[in-house]
C-alpha cells in the first residue's frame, strides 16, 4: 500500500502507521506543513487493518489531505 499526506499552515506533523495491530516504524516520519507531499510505501505482509495517526506541533491554521492506494501485482 502507498500512503500520501500533505498539509499547509507552517506547522509540523508526526505520522505513525500500523498494520494488523502492529506499529510499522520504518513508515513513520515528520512532515513540514508547507504543501509538499509525504509519500510512503507500507509493506503489508498479510491482509488486515491498516491505520495511521498524526500529531501536530506549531500552527494548526492550515489544512491537510491524505490518500492511499494498493498496488496490483503483475502476473508472470
Amino acid at each position: 500500500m502507498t500512503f500520501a499526506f500533505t498539509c499547509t499552515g507552517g506547522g509540523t506533523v508526526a505520522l505513525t502507521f500500523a498494520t494488523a495491530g502492529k506499529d510499522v516504524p520504518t513508515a513513520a516520519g515528520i512532515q513540514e506543513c508547507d504543501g509538499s507531499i509525504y509519500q510512503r510505501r507500507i509493506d503489508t505482509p498479510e491482509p488486515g487493518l491498516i491505520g495511521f495517526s498524526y500529531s501536530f506541533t506549531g500552527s494548526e491554521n492550515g489544512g491537510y489531505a491524505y490518500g492511499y492506494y494498493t498496488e496490483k501485482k503483475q502476473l508472470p
Side-chain angles (χ1 to χ4, degrees), residues 3 5 12-17 29 52-56 60 64 66:
F3 177 88
F5 181 92
T12 302
V13 64
L15 298 163
T16 56
F17 298 87
F52 79 97
S53 62
Y54 60 90
S55 61
F56 279 103
E60 294 184 23
Y64 69 93
Y66 67 91

Side-chain angles (χ1 to χ4, degrees), residues 26-49:
T26 57
I30 303 293
Q31 171 69 23
E32 297 294 324
C33 293
D34 60 4
S36 60
I37 297 173
Y38 172 92
Q39 187 170 331
R40 272 297 185 260
R41 183 175 185 276
I42 301 167
D43 290 326
T44 53
E46 59 189 56
L49 297 176

